[in-house]
Amino acid sequence: MINETLSKALNDQLNYELFSAHVYLAIAAYCSGESLDGFANFFTVQAEEEKFHAMKIYKYLNDRGIRVTLAGMDTPNNEYSSVLDAYEHAYEHEKEVTRRIYHLSDLAMNDREHATIQFLKWFIDEQVEEESMFDTIINKLKRIDKDSNAFFMMDSEFAARTFTPPAL
Ligand code: MG
């Protein structure tokens, strides 16, 4: 049995994952506006991943007999000074997601809610991947000029990123 505090926190996280999709789609739109279609594709795919994260929690709450409720969303940041600025914003966003997942995990551990502890392990591993990915891209972007061939090669490289949804 999941207590009320934990079920509310899981439902909040579901909504925050949907907000993450919103954040990344806004970045994709910024990149499209700059005619950087590869970077735009990267963030469109990222937005798809976030919706998948939300659906993973949606399914879990349903499986545990908890009624999901959706909340309104804040307006995401739509303006960036550069692609690097956008990636730095994304990285900070992922660090906030990690803090929230850790808080959820703390709540589950305090309540010895073992199924939820197990469920959250996937998200903890996922956050290690997300943070590492953004950190690596930021380091690369810092080393190259935004009008260089290397920058446009990165844009082309990211045009190939796709999202294949795993089983929920
Ligand atoms: Mg996520």
Side-chain angles (χ1 to χ4, degrees), residues 13-135:
Q13 187 60 32
L14 183 165
N15 280 283
Y16 201 74
E17 298 290 346
L18 290 174
F19 174 64
S20 301
H22 224 48
V23 167
Y24 293 135
L25 196 56
I27 297 179
Y30 162 77
C31 295
S32 289
E34 297 293 305
S35 301
L36 296 166
D37 294 342
F39 287 110
N41 178 62
F42 175 97
F43 281 104
T44 305
V45 169
Q46 192 65 29
E48 287 302 311
E49 275 199 17
E50 300 307 334
K51 276 185 242 165
F52 168 75
H53 296 166
M55 288 313 293
K56 218 174 158 64
I57 302 172
Y58 180 93
K59 181 177 186 300
Y60 182 70
L61 290 176
N62 276 331
D63 286 349
R64 299 298 305 270
I66 293 159
R67 171 76 157 82
V68 166
T69 55
L70 295 190
M73 261 187 253
D74 290 339
T75 303
N77 190 11
N78 284 289
E79 302 306 329
Y80 295 93
S81 59
S82 64
V83 168
L84 174 61
D85 181 39
Y87 273 93
E88 282 176 333
H89 185 86
Y91 189 27
E92 288 310 310
H93 184 79
E94 285 305 322
K95 288 183 198 168
E96 174 60 23
V97 173
T98 302
R99 273 192 288 277
R100 287 168 183 251
I101 299 285
Y102 282 12
H103 174 65
L104 272 174
S105 203
D106 286 344
L107 289 177
M109 284 197 283
N110 288 345
D111 201 44
R112 299 186 175 190
E113 224 301 306
H114 291 282
T116 303
I117 294 167
Q118 186 72 15
F119 170 73
L120 289 169
K121 191 175 175 306
W122 184 91
F123 284 87
I124 292 167
D125 292 342
E126 177 69 12
Q127 286 312 114
V128 173
E129 294 298 318
E130 301 278 41
E131 287 195 24
S132 163
M133 176 183 70
F134 282 115
D135 186 40

Side-chain angles (χ1 to χ4, degrees), residues 128-156:
V128 173
E129 294 298 318
E130 301 278 41
E131 287 195 24
S132 163
M133 176 183 70
F134 282 115
D135 186 40
T136 303
I137 295 169
I138 287 166
N139 285 333
K140 281 185 188 169
L141 283 171
K142 280 181 176 167
R143 264 186 264 131
I144 60 177
D145 195 279
K146 71 175 177 57
D147 293 316
S148 66
N149 280 339
F151 181 74
F152 292 106
M153 275 179 66
M154 252 180 112
D155 186 50
S156 303

